[in-house]
Amino acid sequence: MPSIPYSKKVMDLFLNPKNLGEIENPDAQATEGSPACGDMVQLQLKVNKDTHVIEDIKFKSFGCASNIATASIITEIAKGKTIEEAKNLKYSQVVDELGGLPAVKVHCSILAIQSLKRAIENYEEKNGLVPKDKPTDEALIKERLRGVIDPNTGRDLVGSKLLSKIDFVGGKLTIYLNLKDTNQFANAIKEEIIEKFEYRWDVKSIDVVFLD
């Protein structure tokens, strides 16, 4: 018996998750959280380019029963919706679909929604569907870096002070981190940073520099 009072639906999806796995050549993906320090969700999308309907969506999850169940249910809710409809989903809808979540686990539903919205955002940027009147600036860069967790401390890159400096000149984005390239999490952090910016319309290249 679980020590936390999960609903029957949460337990069913934990034991038999839907849409678990990967999509070959996804149109977009996003990763939120960190497997090293807690829950993590990665979502991949296949989107009809004419109708903008999410035709397929799969997930990978690292974490507790709630994390797996919320990631599973969000794929079921989003599949068949347009990206505009999916963007308007709320974490409360996820909680309701699951028959409720313990208060200490509601953050899992928020993580699932954040992953979906970030994947859609990446799709829109990749396909030129975002307005170009909002160029990439330091505020946007820091906002996205707050979504990258430093597994060494369990805090985001900005809050953990791992971020040393940001340079963005002529479309070239360089992120300097107070971390050695030999750190066991260095490559994972670099991949997450690239994922956050690779489809920005005004970002031509991304470099992550590890400082000794």
Side-chain angles (χ1 to χ4, degrees):
M1 294 292 291
S3 58
I4 296 177
Y6 291 120
S7 70
K8 183 177 184 299
K9 185 133 186 205
V10 169
M11 291 306 299
D12 285 344
L13 288 175
F14 168 56
L15 296 172
N16 301 287
K18 311 296 184 184
N19 303 308
L20 179 65
E22 295 182 319
I23 295 175
E24 186 175 355
N25 299 317
D27 293 321
Q29 75 174 38
T31 305
E32 295 291 321
S34 169
C37 61
D39 296 321
M40 187 197 84
V41 174
Q42 181 187 81
L43 290 181
Q44 294 182 324
L45 308 179
K46 183 65 73 172
V47 182
N48 185 302
K49 287 182 169 54
D50 295 321
T51 63
H52 301 311
V53 168
I54 299 173
E55 296 184 333
D56 196 10
I57 176 170
K58 293 192 183 298
F59 81 95
K60 291 194 296 184
S61 170
F62 300 87
C64 63
S66 292
N67 191 50
I68 293 170
T70 53
S72 178
I73 200 69
I74 199 67
T75 63
E76 293 186 83
I77 295 172
K79 192 172 183 178
K81 285 183 166 54
T82 66
I83 56 176
E84 283 300 321
E85 291 170 334
K87 279 195 294 187
N88 291 320
L89 292 172
K90 308 295 184 184
Y91 79 88
S92 57
Q93 293 173 258
V94 175
V95 174
D96 290 343
E97 285 287 338
L98 291 172
L101 282 173
V104 295
K105 294 298 181 179
V106 170
H107 71 276
C108 292
S109 64
I110 297 173
L111 187 65
I113 286 290
Q114 288 175 335
S115 300
L116 175 63
K117 292 187 176 183
R118 183 67 71 191
I120 292 172
E121 189 174 66
N122 288 344
Y123 174 80
E124 290 178 324
E125 292 179 350
K126 180 180 179 181
N127 291 278
L129 300 176
V130 295
K132 295 185 177 181
D133 58 347
K134 295 182 178 180
T136 300
D137 58 14
E138 185 169 331
L140 183 146
I141 293 168
K142 284 187 175 181
E143 185 272 327
R144 294 200 175 186
L145 290 178
R146 288 188 178 94
V148 179
I149 302 299
D150 170 17
N152 298 285
T153 63
R155 302 180 66 189
D156 66 80
L157 296 192
V158 179
S160 68
K161 302 192 183 303
L162 201 63
L163 178 65
S164 175
K165 188 172 73 167
I166 296 169
D167 276 340
F168 185 55
V169 180
K172 180 179 179 180
L173 174 61
T174 305
I175 305 294
Y176 296 86
L177 300 179
N178 295 312
L179 187 71
K180 293 183 178 181
D181 59 5
T182 55
N183 185 280
Q184 61 179 323
F185 300 119
N187 191 58
I189 291 172
K190 180 177 180 178
E191 289 179 356
E192 282 198 54
I193 291 173
I194 291 173
E195 183 183 273
K196 300 294 184 187
F197 301 100
E198 62 183 331
Y199 298 127
R200 285 292 298 170
W201 61 270
D202 54 353
V203 176
K204 298 176 182 177
S205 67
I206 307 163
D207 191 21
V208 178
V209 178
F210 296 100
L211 305 173
D212 291 335

